[in-house]
Amino acid sequence: MRTIEETILIEATPLHQTREVRVGIVGYGTVGRATAEILALNAEEIQRRTDGVSIRVTRLCRKGARSSEAGVNGIAVVPNWEQVVNADDVDIVVEAIGGTGVAYQVIRASIEKGKAVVTANKALIAQFGEELFALADQKKLPIGIEASVGGGVPVIRAISEALAADRVQAVYGIVNGTANFILTEMENHGVEFGEALRQAQEAGYAEADPSLDIDGFDARDKIAILARLAFHGALSPADIRVTGIRQVSATDFHYAQRLNSTIRLVASAERNAQGINISVGPWLVRRDSMLAKVDGPNNAIFLVGEKVGTQMFYGRGAGGNATGTAVLSDVVQIAKHVAREQTMPNMLSGFHSTEKLALSERIHPVQWYLRLTVADRPGILARVAEAIAHEGINIDSVVQEPYTSKERLSFVVTLEPVGEPTVNRAVQAINQFNFMLEPVLLLPMISAAGE
Amino acid sequence: MRTIEETILIEATPLHQTREVRVGIVGYGTVGRATAEILALNAEEIQRRTDGVSIRVTRLCRKGARSSEAGVNGIAVVPNWEQVVNADDVDIVVEAIGGTGVAYQVIRASIEKGKAVVTANKALIAQFGEELFALADQKKLPIGIEASVGGGVPVIRAISEALAADRVQAVYGIVNGTANFILTEMENHGVEFGEALRQAQEAGYAEADPSLDIDGFDARDKIAILARLAFHGALSPADIRVTGIRQVSATDFHYAQRLNSTIRLVASAERNAQGINISVGPWLVRRDSMLAKVDGPNNAIFLVGEKVGTQMFYGRGAGGNATGTAVLSDVVQIAKHVAREQTMPNMLSGFHSTEKLALSERIHPVQWYLRLTVADRPGILARVAEAIAHEGINIDSVVQEPYTSKERLSFVVTLEPVGEPTVNRAVQAINQFNFMLEPVLLLPMISAAGE
């Protein structure tokens, strides 16, 4: 609590003031460095645009930094994050380490020290957001998370500010650029998954250990954050069903093309009569859909509001410059309040609810794509058709490319619209057949939420 | 200036407070009514999300309202706007009249009375924004203009907050849903402009006097607002070159299709070496471009940032519900500050610059589409080709549909990339020829800014 004298001083602060706001960056890799460099490059322009708020990097930290290391503006890069978080000349801490270990400590300690925080860390916010926002709320401090989903695409602002007076029905889209790059390569060049992954690694889009991206866990953390903001309830990322793209093959893109479609990894959260259906997995999308148009490492997030209708936000989902711009959008907004010694109204109320969201399966009937890989022999189609009919499902089409071999034959069955629990029972039955060489690849045929 | 006692009281206000924020709506047509109804419908949900900020409509005004007229929540609808603006129980005035007459008076009077303002009025903000923001700044009051461009699409936030630390290179897109609906009808059904306009009027997308939409003036006001926010300089909408879509014919869509393209009305502001090139006019865009995918009454705005790269924002550009949601996004953000008796940091600094933007022609070379309509006779193509060669321009292709008549023959010439001043000289020369039945239709062949 401020004294009366201090309060009077603050009240008298003119609008056009020049109080400097000081930023400490913990983690000086791709994102941390880009953030520092863009800020240094555009500091004067930002000051002009904000009526005099001067924002300056004062502290940098990188694990293992040598004693002589210097970063942007010649600032010493120190190896211990405590030297940034505890520094008197830091108002805002940018956490750019990633992961849920040290990053967690950095954010907690920063808030406890009375510093605002900005982070691009989706894993941390998805898992510990509720706790961290509760702590920040106690201290009346903001946490900026614009960069945690969609890279430079301002989807956090869109969902929490632009739709502040609407009710979200669905949020879904392509939120992992690495997986999208791989699927686009497979689509355009007919290559297998392994080859496309190698290309993504060579192009710098995929890590040496690509599991977080291709197995869908990165997308899961992002949709967990979007769902919290959209539906104002609590959820654990571990409760979200996740299917990656390892099982998608060049053959699937052949069949997709015959069905006038392509394949995209989609993270989706949608309200239905029983609750919220949240999932990450590959979808078969029509080639003329907006989802199909998103290629390479780009992201596209769709928001469906009861009143506002369907919106789409598209742009670069990763990379230092895009992510750094998003980090700085939060830094500038917070700095405007810091400079005037104002607390900032909380814009991310979705993280304040402790009531768990009711999760639901995809009960809305949709069409389905089943790709079966079998050792060919007479009667296979009859047995598959019988298993499908047993659940009361109608087959829409059976497609088989002529070039497949008898020893390892792939064919596709598409189904008329039916709910997910029903199709899952049919797939479980089919997977029991001893002619099946690998489990059925099951993809919903959806090009937009609710279709 | 508050007394010390009052200040202490404010300091002691807890974060979870329940101060009511009261909204007066002036103009109770499509937008005003939708705004009031969405707020009434979602008031409790908004209160929950904002930790207790209760927002309520208290006053409604409609010109010519009868004495017994009641609006949302049974509130009397009064005919005089002064009764709203002067009311003690109004904190935020929503101006939903439109136009630059009474609306101007309403906004000025509201600010002078110490009330925050939210408006969807692009014409007013494009023309008088600088003056109104200067007045609001003096009084430390916010003006919310999210709904003025893009309907429900939050492009104002994207440009002014998300890109707060970046430099915009270009902002362009489809910002008039009526014109886009007409062009989409012409593309899909091969109808002439007049027929498509009638369909737009029947569908409720076009006014009885459609000039503002089809002659490009609505798009001009919107790009004027976007350019101010993007480039942080002053400009007058009257200085922007505007071409509408009246001259675009069914024949042009035939030729566009042969060129694997379609036609869209694009508003564009782009930085080049000489200044900012701002224009509104039809573009010939490739069918596989994102611009071509925007159909019907939708809007799509592209932002190109130096660091963030290209982004696209898509959604419903008009209609009461989409626009009302955008109005309320500003109302909620302002209400959070009003409830805590905080002044709100200005987010729209682009309107504070009084230095004029240097405007430039399109100097970057692009391809061009010229459609000529002539009375056929020998030697026409030779004379046209000569006029083009005289400016040192290379012809890329000449396309002529076989079905056109000799009395009124249309053909198309496409040019290799050349700057706008040069192509304009060639077109002026061609327009002098006495075989020309109407002026050349000149379209840039661009599918994205800078291409």
Side-chain angles (χ1 to χ4, degrees):
Chain A
M1 176 65 90
R2 292 192 286 252
T3 64
I4 293 175
E5 286 75 13
E6 283 168 345
T7 304
I8 293 169
L9 193 69
I10 292 158
E11 288 295 308
T13 303
L15 189 64
H16 299 262
Q17 45 65 55
T18 54
R19 158 103 158 69
E20 190 175 68
V21 179
R22 299 149 308 173
V23 178
I25 297 178
V26 182
Y28 204 55
T30 309
V31 171
R33 191 177 294 268
T35 301
E37 287 175 353
I38 299 170
L39 182 53
L41 181 70
N42 291 335
E44 272 183 47
E45 175 67 16
I46 294 169
Q47 186 167 358
R48 196 167 71 83
R49 292 181 192 170
T50 52
D51 291 335
V53 181
S54 163
I55 308 175
R56 193 164 62 91
V57 178
T58 49
R59 301 268 169 170
L60 297 172
C61 163
R62 188 178 68 77
K63 190 180 155 189
R66 290 189 224 155
S67 62
S68 62
E69 195 171 324
V72 75
N73 293 343
I75 296 165
V77 182
V78 300
N80 299 317
W81 59 266
E82 291 90 345
Q83 288 179 262
V84 176
V85 168
N86 295 336
D88 285 338
D89 61 357
V90 168
D91 302 297
I92 302 173
V93 172
V94 171
E95 182 278 302
I97 310 171
T100 54
V102 178
Y104 172 86
Q105 293 175 268
V106 168
I107 293 183
R108 270 206 79 102
S110 299
I111 297 168
E112 276 162 1
K113 278 275 172 187
K115 297 175 198 311
V117 170
V118 177
T119 178
N121 193 327
K122 50 256 167 194
L124 184 64
I125 294 300
Q127 201 175 337
F128 298 109
E130 192 174 311
E131 176 195 326
L132 295 172
F133 276 96
L135 182 67
D137 205 24
Q138 260 178 39
K139 300 275 186 178
K140 301 190 182 181
L141 287 167
I143 303 178
I145 62 168
E146 183 61 74
S148 67
V149 184
V153 184
V155 65
I156 301 288
R157 275 185 176 70
I159 207 165
S160 48
E161 295 180 30
L163 296 194
D166 201 1
R167 289 171 197 260
V168 177
Q169 291 173 321
V171 50
Y172 64 98
I174 293 168
V175 293
N176 184 278
T178 306
N180 203 61
F181 179 88
I182 291 170
L183 293 175
T184 310
E185 286 294 297
M186 293 176 74
E187 175 185 353
N188 293 341
H189 305 298
V191 297
E192 283 295 352
F193 173 79
E195 172 59 24
L197 172 59
R198 267 190 299 280
Q199 286 168 15
Q201 283 166 331
E202 276 169 28
Y205 292 125
E207 310 283 331
D209 174 7
S211 172
L212 282 181
D213 293 320
I214 65 181
D215 293 325
F217 297 109
D218 174 81
R220 178 197 67 177
D221 291 340
K222 289 169 177 168
I223 197 69
I225 292 172
L226 294 177
R228 276 210 80 125
L229 295 174
F231 302 114
H232 297 270
L235 83 162
S236 163
D239 294 338
I240 298 174
R241 286 166 299 130
V242 179
T243 313
I245 58 169
R246 284 184 204 262
Q247 215 197 325
V248 177
S249 69
T251 307
D252 292 308
F253 279 96
H254 276 290
Y255 285 116
Q257 197 166 22
R258 281 192 57 172
L259 296 162
N260 205 20
S261 298
T262 187
I263 299 165
R264 290 288 180 264
L265 181 67
V266 180
S268 164
E270 193 182 353
R271 192 194 298 274
N272 64 36
Q274 294 179 5
I276 312 293
N277 170 46
I278 313 190
S279 66
V280 174
W283 289 11
L284 196 90
V285 301
R286 284 193 307 271
R287 285 181 79 90
D288 62 359
S289 68
M290 287 248 184
L291 279 171
K293 299 290 157 206
V294 181
D295 57 8
N298 290 303
N299 279 197
I301 297 110
F302 293 73
L303 274 179
V304 186
E306 200 173 281
K307 295 294 180 186
V308 87
T310 296
Q311 305 189 320
M312 197 250 279
F313 306 92
Y314 167 90
R316 277 188 212 161
N321 280 337
T323 309
T325 304
V327 166
L328 287 172
S329 75
D330 283 338
V331 167
V332 172
Q333 194 162 3
I334 292 170
K336 287 178 183 177
H337 289 84
V338 171
R340 309 162 95 199
E341 313 237 353
Q342 281 185 345
T343 59
M344 190 168 138
N346 168 46
M347 298 294 175
L348 304 168
S349 64
F351 275 98
H352 287 190
S353 176
T354 52
E355 202 177 313
K356 276 250 178 195
L357 289 175
L359 300 185
S360 155
E361 288 185 288
R362 185 184 304 284
I363 53 172
H364 185 72
V366 297
Q367 286 195 278
W368 297 91
Y369 167 103
L370 284 68
R371 192 251 301 154
L372 294 84
T373 306
V374 300
D376 197 19
R377 62 185 200 218
I380 284 182
L381 188 57
R383 305 224 20 218
V384 169
E386 195 180 30
I388 291 167
H390 186 258
E391 298 298 334
I393 308 171
N394 291 324
I395 289 177
D396 184 54
S397 72
V398 177
V399 194
Q400 187 186 321
E401 289 288 341
Y403 57 79
T404 51
S405 74
K406 266 192 110 53
E407 295 76 45
R408 190 177 172 82
L409 179 124
S410 288
F411 67 97
V412 162
V413 180
T414 66
L415 305 181
E416 289 188 5
V418 60
E420 188 160 25
T422 311
V423 77
N424 276 338
R425 285 195 300 274
V427 166
Q428 273 165 31
I430 294 169
N431 281 338
Q432 303 304 314
F433 294 141
N434 60 8
F435 52 75
M436 294 292 291
L437 296 179
E438 56 181 70
V440 170
L441 177 71
L442 176 71
L443 308 181
M445 297 171 69
I446 340 180
S447 296
E451 281 175 32
Chain B
M1 176 64 89
R2 292 192 284 251
T3 65
I4 293 174
E5 285 75 10
E6 282 168 345
T7 303
I8 294 169
L9 192 70
I10 291 158
E11 288 296 308
T13 303
L15 189 64
H16 299 260
Q17 45 65 55
T18 54
R19 158 101 158 71
E20 191 173 70
V21 179
R22 300 149 307 174
V23 178
I25 298 178
V26 182
Y28 204 55
T30 309
V31 171
R33 190 177 295 267
T35 302
E37 288 175 354
I38 299 170
L39 181 54
L41 180 71
N42 291 335
E44 273 184 47
E45 174 67 17
I46 294 169
Q47 186 166 359
R48 196 167 72 83
R49 293 182 193 170
T50 52
D51 291 334
V53 181
S54 164
I55 309 174
R56 194 164 61 90
V57 177
T58 49
R59 302 268 169 170
L60 297 171
C61 163
R62 189 178 67 76
K63 189 180 156 189
R66 290 191 222 152
S67 62
S68 62
E69 195 171 324
V72 75
N73 293 342
I75 296 165
V77 182
V78 300
N80 300 317
W81 59 266
E82 290 91 344
Q83 288 178 264
V84 176
V85 168
N86 295 336
D88 285 338
D89 61 357
V90 168
D91 302 298
I92 302 172
V93 172
V94 171
E95 181 278 303
I97 309 170
T100 53
V102 178
Y104 172 85
Q105 292 175 269
V106 168
I107 294 183
R108 271 207 79 103
S110 298
I111 296 168
E112 276 163 0
K113 279 275 171 186
K115 297 177 199 309
V117 169
V118 177
T119 178
N121 192 327
K122 50 256 166 193
L124 184 63
I125 295 299
Q127 201 175 337
F128 298 109
E130 191 173 310
E131 175 194 327
L132 296 172
F133 275 96
L135 182 66
D137 205 23
Q138 260 178 38
K139 300 275 186 178
K140 301 190 183 182
L141 288 167
I143 303 177
I145 62 168
E146 183 60 75
S148 67
V149 184
V153 184
V155 64
I156 301 289
R157 273 184 177 70
I159 206 166
S160 49
E161 294 180 31
L163 296 194
D166 201 2
R167 289 171 196 261
V168 177
Q169 292 174 319
V171 50
Y172 65 98
I174 294 167
V175 293
N176 184 279
T178 305
N180 203 60
F181 179 89
I182 290 170
L183 293 175
T184 310
E185 286 294 297
M186 293 175 74
E187 174 186 354
N188 293 341
H189 306 298
V191 296
E192 283 295 351
F193 172 79
E195 172 59 24
L197 172 59
R198 266 191 300 279
Q199 287 169 14
Q201 283 166 330
E202 275 169 29
Y205 292 125
E207 310 284 331
D209 174 8
S211 172
L212 282 180
D213 293 320
I214 64 180
D215 293 325
F217 297 109
D218 174 81
R220 178 198 67 177
D221 290 340
K222 289 170 177 166
I223 197 68
I225 292 171
L226 294 176
R228 277 210 79 125
L229 296 174
F231 302 113
H232 297 270
L235 83 162
S236 164
D239 294 338
I240 298 174
R241 285 165 300 131
V242 178
T243 314
I245 58 170
R246 285 184 203 261
Q247 214 198 327
V248 177
S249 69
T251 308
D252 292 306
F253 278 97
H254 276 288
Y255 285 116
Q257 198 166 21
R258 281 191 58 171
L259 295 163
N260 205 20
S261 299
T262 186
I263 299 165
R264 291 287 181 264
L265 181 67
V266 180
S268 165
E270 191 182 354
R271 191 194 298 275
N272 64 36
Q274 295 180 4
I276 311 292
N277 170 45
I278 312 189
S279 66
V280 174
W283 289 11
L284 197 90
V285 301
R286 286 192 305 272
R287 285 181 79 91
D288 62 358
S289 67
M290 287 248 184
L291 278 172
K293 299 290 157 204
V294 181
D295 57 7
N298 290 304
N299 279 196
I301 296 110
F302 293 72
L303 273 180
V304 186
E306 198 173 281
K307 295 294 179 186
V308 88
T310 296
Q311 305 190 319
M312 198 252 278
F313 306 93
Y314 167 90
R316 277 187 213 162
N321 281 337
T323 308
T325 304
V327 166
L328 288 171
S329 74
D330 283 339
V331 168
V332 172
Q333 194 163 2
I334 293 170
K336 286 179 182 176
H337 289 83
V338 171
R340 309 162 95 198
E341 313 237 353
Q342 282 185 344
T343 59
M344 190 167 139
N346 167 46
M347 298 294 175
L348 304 168
S349 63
F351 275 98
H352 287 189
S353 175
T354 52
E355 201 177 315
K356 275 251 177 193
L357 289 174
L359 300 185
S360 155
E361 286 186 287
R362 186 184 303 285
I363 54 172
H364 184 72
V366 297
Q367 285 195 278
W368 298 90
Y369 166 104
L370 284 69
R371 192 252 301 154
L372 295 84
T373 305
V374 301
D376 197 19
R377 63 182 198 219
I380 284 182
L381 188 57
R383 306 228 14 222
V384 168
E386 194 180 32
I388 290 168
H390 185 258
E391 299 299 334
I393 308 171
N394 290 325
I395 289 176
D396 184 55
S397 72
V398 177
V399 195
Q400 186 185 323
E401 290 289 340
Y403 57 79
T404 51
S405 73
K406 266 192 110 54
E407 295 75 44
R408 191 177 172 81
L409 179 124
S410 289
F411 68 97
V412 161
V413 179
T414 66
L415 306 181
E416 289 189 4
V418 61
E420 189 160 25
T422 312
V423 76
N424 276 338
R425 284 195 300 273
V427 166
Q428 273 166 29
I430 295 169
N431 281 338
Q432 303 304 314
F433 294 140
N434 61 8
F435 52 76
M436 293 293 291
L437 295 178
E438 56 181 69
V440 170
L441 177 70
L442 176 71
L443 308 180
M445 296 171 70
I446 339 181
S447 296
E451 282 176 32

